[in-house]
Each structure stands twice: as C-alpha cells, then as structure tokens.
C-alpha cells in the first residue's frame, strides 16, 4: 500500500454519504475498501473512479450486511489487501415507508437486520482485524436518533438503536484504544432522501429547507467530512458520542422564522 499509512472500510459506498466519504478519505491519504450491496442500482465503479481520480486507492467489494459470513469476508479481505485496518464506517442502510397498522413482521425484521444488525456485524468483523488505536463510526438519522417519523416506525427504531450500540462498543473497545461514535445526519440530499416514495423526495426536501436555521439541507460531503474527522487523530479524545449535523434544526426555537 505504497503512499498510504491508514486504511478504512466503508459500507454503503456506492452512493450518497458512503461515496462522498470514500472520496474524502482519498483526499486525506486513506486507502478505502468500499462495500456495496450486490445488485445495487448505483454503479460501484463510479466510486472507484472518483477515488482514483483523486489519487487514492479504492477496493470495491460486494457485501450484504445482513449476512455475517459476507461481512466477515469483507473485513478480512479489506485488511488483507491493505495490510492493515484502521477505520470502519457502518453506513449501509435501508429506508422503506410503512404505516404501523399495515407493517408486517417481515418488514420490521428486514429493517432491523440492515440498519441496526448490519452495524453490529460490521463492527464485530472490523474489530477482529483493526489495529489498536483505530476508530469506528456508524450513521444514524435524525429520524429516530432525535425525532419520530410517521409511517417509518421500523426505520426510526433501528436508527435510534445505533447510538446505544456505539456507546457500548466504545466502552468495550476502549482498552484497545479503539474509539466508536455515531453520526446523526439531519436532512441531507442523497439518493435515499430524494426517493419520493419512501422519503421526502426533491420537493419535500425543498420545503423542509425553509424550516432549517441555515436555510438549506445538507450535502453528503458535509456528513462525510464529519465522519472523516471523527475517525482521525484530531478526534482522539472523542468516543461514545452522538454528533448531530442538521443545520440547527433540532435546536430551532418553535416558531422561528428563517
């Protein structure tokens, strides 16, 4: 891994925050192993091309975070390819709309298996290969991490569990000097949030921006840079925390006009 002294694995790296993070890591001299869901509509080679254009190294690998064997193999290959593993970012997520009265057990279980169970599997596998002094971050959401969201009970519940999981991992791995934090993005423009069926869609995001003190929704790169900071040595005394990046939405005084 000539020219690189850090390596990270990032799930959900074919688009959105994961893709932006792969690029941000490349710009900081961190080699990336990016995981993507087999059959994803987003082309993983696009992420690899962005990283390579920035002078970085990127190994894109298929991984279903609901499958323990695949996650273990992903982490092992990432560590083996680069000869080390310093950072692990659990970013892969599922978003589906379902009213409580109509929600099936299968819908509930699928959401939990991806958005919460997937985080645990990524961290568990990464911990086997990560060097002491490494860092982990999981991506939660303002929906569940702070607010409720109607017709998204399963999503909100899974995302609410992520900060608790991170706090426990932070305590368990602290003797190894491994830090673990959660990032709670607010309204951020990604392929997921632009989905008009399961999320807000372009028009919904535009309307929501009016209620955000900074007057706009966030970008995937802004969240990626926060994650990069939390895994870096500049955040060496930060662990077990949940950092909200929402343009001031959650501290907005009721009735405030922007």
């Amino acid at each position: 891994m000539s020219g690189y002294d850090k390596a990270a694995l990032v799930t959900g790296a074919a688009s959105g925050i994961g893709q932006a993070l792969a690029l941000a890591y490349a710009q900081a001299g961190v080699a990336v192993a990016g995981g993507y869901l087999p059959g994803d509509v987003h082309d993983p080679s696009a992420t690899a091309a962005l990283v390579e254009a920035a002078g970085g190294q990127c190994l894109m690998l298929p991984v279903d975070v609901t499958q323990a064997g695949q996650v273990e193999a992903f982490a092992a290959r990432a560590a083996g390819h680069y000869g080390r593993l310093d950072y692990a970012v659990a970013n892969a997520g599922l978003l589906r709309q379902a009213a409580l009265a109509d929600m099936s057990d299968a819908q509930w279980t699928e959401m939990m298996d991806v958005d919460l169970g997937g985080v645990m599997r990524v961290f568990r596998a990464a911990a086997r290969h990560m060097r002491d002094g490494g860092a982990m971050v999981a991506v939660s959401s303002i929906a569940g991490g702070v607010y409720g969201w109607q017709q998204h009970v399963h999503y909100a519940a899974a995302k609410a569990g992520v900060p608790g999981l991170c706090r426990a991992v932070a305590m368990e791995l602290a003797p190894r000097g491994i830090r673990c934090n959660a990032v709670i993005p607010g309204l951020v423009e990604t392929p997921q949030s632009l989905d008009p069926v399961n999320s807000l869609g372009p028009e919904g995001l535009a309307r929501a921006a009016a209620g955000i003190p900074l007057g706009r929704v966030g970008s995937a790169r802004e969240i990626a840079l926060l994650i990069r900071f939390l895994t870096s040595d500049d955040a060496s005394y930060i662990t077990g925390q949940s950092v909200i990046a929402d343009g001031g939405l959650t501290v907005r005084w009721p009735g405030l006009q922007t």
Side-chain angles (χ1 to χ4, degrees), residues 22 42-43 68 76 81 112-114 128 140 145 150 160 182 184 199 204 257:
H42 303 286
D43 184 0
H81 182 79
M112 290 294 168
D113 213 14
V114 175
R128 305 186 202 282
S140 178
Q150 64 274 24
I184 302 180
S199 190
Q257 298 298 313

Side-chain angles (χ1 to χ4, degrees), residues 47-131:
T47 298
L50 284 171
V51 168
E52 289 163 8
Q57 289 192 22
C58 184
L59 175 69
M60 294 296 289
L61 299 169
V63 59
D64 181 342
V65 297
T66 69
Q67 303 300 310
Q70 290 189 31
V71 178
E72 293 290 341
F74 170 56
R77 187 167 176 193
H81 182 79
Y82 291 120
R84 62 187 300 142
L85 181 61
D86 301 278
Y87 310 141
V89 180
N91 171 68
L94 176 68
L95 176 61
R96 295 288 183 268
Q97 178 174 302
L100 178 61
D102 301 325
M103 187 184 302
S104 67
D105 280 4
Q107 288 174 304
W108 172 271
T109 299
E110 179 187 35
M111 187 67 69
M112 290 294 168
D113 213 14
V114 175
D115 286 17
L116 187 56
V119 175
M120 180 279 293
R121 294 183 192 95
V122 169
F123 285 173
R124 180 177 62 189
R128 305 186 202 282
H129 302 278
M130 185 171 289
R131 295 188 170 199

Side-chain angles (χ1 to χ4, degrees), residues 165-221:
L165 187 157
C166 288
R167 286 191 289 268
V169 170
M171 294 302 95
E172 186 163 334
L173 298 184
R176 293 178 52 191
I178 295 175
R179 299 177 297 104
C180 183
N181 294 287
V183 166
I184 302 180
L187 298 172
V188 176
E189 185 174 330
T190 64
Q192 193 177 75
S193 66
L194 290 170
D195 177 356
V197 175
N198 297 296
S199 190
L200 298 180
E203 293 182 1
L205 279 177
R207 288 193 300 269
I212 298 173
L214 287 184
R216 63 179 177 83
V217 299
S219 70
R221 179 165 174 80

